[in-house]
Amino acid sequence: MATMSLAAASPLTSTPRGLAVSTPRTSFLGLRALGASAARFPGLAAAPRPSARGEAAVVRMAKREQDLEEIRAMETEKLEEEVVDLKGELFLLRLKRSARQEFKSSEFGRMRKRIARLLTVRREREIEQGINKRLSRKLDRKWKLGIVVRPPPSMREKTEEE
């Protein structure tokens, strides 16, 4: 009876690691790389793949950087007005969802991210002025209490048309 040391055995199998047999990799469909499967399944032609995955990420990153540059160019008052407008739009979107009206679900994420970017730039400016976290929260509460409730831009456009 041959004994095998625990160090040489893989924890999932009883095959020693040095003697492991390599198995061909399969895709998520369970098909081998389109060599043999293309003969059996003529509809599975090799689709052209993007040359580099990073290219699409670079384009998205550039757009985000452009958006941040645009936000940083805004004045603080304009920035705060846009935050209020976007929060109003987000509220209307929630109302549409609860009333089961048509809406784009991707707008939720887009608006929340835009609001987060605006508030981040606002906080960066506070840090540059030397405002600490505690004072920032206090100023934020005052700012929220001073917000004048007004309809968001999409509602204003509708009332101007009528």
Side-chain angles (χ1 to χ4, degrees):
M1 178 176 179
T3 59
M4 200 181 329
S5 71
L6 292 176
S10 171
L12 299 176
T13 63
S14 60
T15 308
R17 287 186 185 162
L19 301 175
V21 179
S22 65
T23 58
R25 298 227 178 233
T26 58
S27 68
F28 69 97
L29 295 174
L31 303 173
R32 290 194 183 110
L34 293 176
S37 63
R40 289 191 307 216
F41 303 103
L44 287 177
R49 301 188 108 195
S51 59
R53 279 182 57 145
E55 288 179 7
V58 169
V59 172
R60 279 183 272 159
M61 180 65 94
K63 185 177 179 185
R64 188 178 326 144
E65 290 296 325
Q66 182 182 8
D67 191 36
L68 277 173
E69 287 175 11
E70 175 188 320
I71 292 171
R72 287 192 174 108
M74 284 185 199
E75 294 179 11
T76 307
E77 292 79 26
K78 174 82 173 117
L79 192 133
E80 290 174 349
E81 285 177 20
E82 189 166 347
V83 168
V84 172
D85 289 342
L86 282 171
K87 285 192 175 195
E89 292 287 342
L90 199 57
F91 177 72
L92 286 178
L93 205 57
R94 280 193 219 106
L95 285 178
K96 281 185 178 182
R97 181 177 61 184
S98 66
R100 300 189 186 270
Q101 295 177 359
E102 281 191 32
F103 67 94
K104 291 184 179 179
S105 59
S106 63
E107 290 294 308
F108 282 108
R110 189 187 64 78
M111 283 185 197
R112 280 196 301 256
K113 285 181 181 182
R114 176 87 176 164
I115 291 169
R117 287 185 187 120
L118 290 166
L119 293 175
T120 300
V121 170
R122 190 176 120 199
R123 179 65 184 132
E124 286 173 357
R125 290 180 183 171
E126 289 176 350
I127 290 171
E128 287 174 3
Q129 294 172 357
I131 297 174
N132 64 8
K133 190 174 180 179
R134 185 173 182 171
L135 182 59
S136 174
R137 300 296 186 263
K138 192 173 185 178
L139 292 173
D140 194 41
R141 271 186 253 122
K142 282 185 182 178
W143 173 69
K144 285 180 181 176
L145 290 174
I147 293 175
V148 177
V149 179
R150 62 177 190 265
S154 63
M155 290 287 289
R156 282 185 242 153
E157 293 169 2
K158 289 179 183 177
T159 55
E160 289 172 3
E161 291 174 0
E162 294 173 354

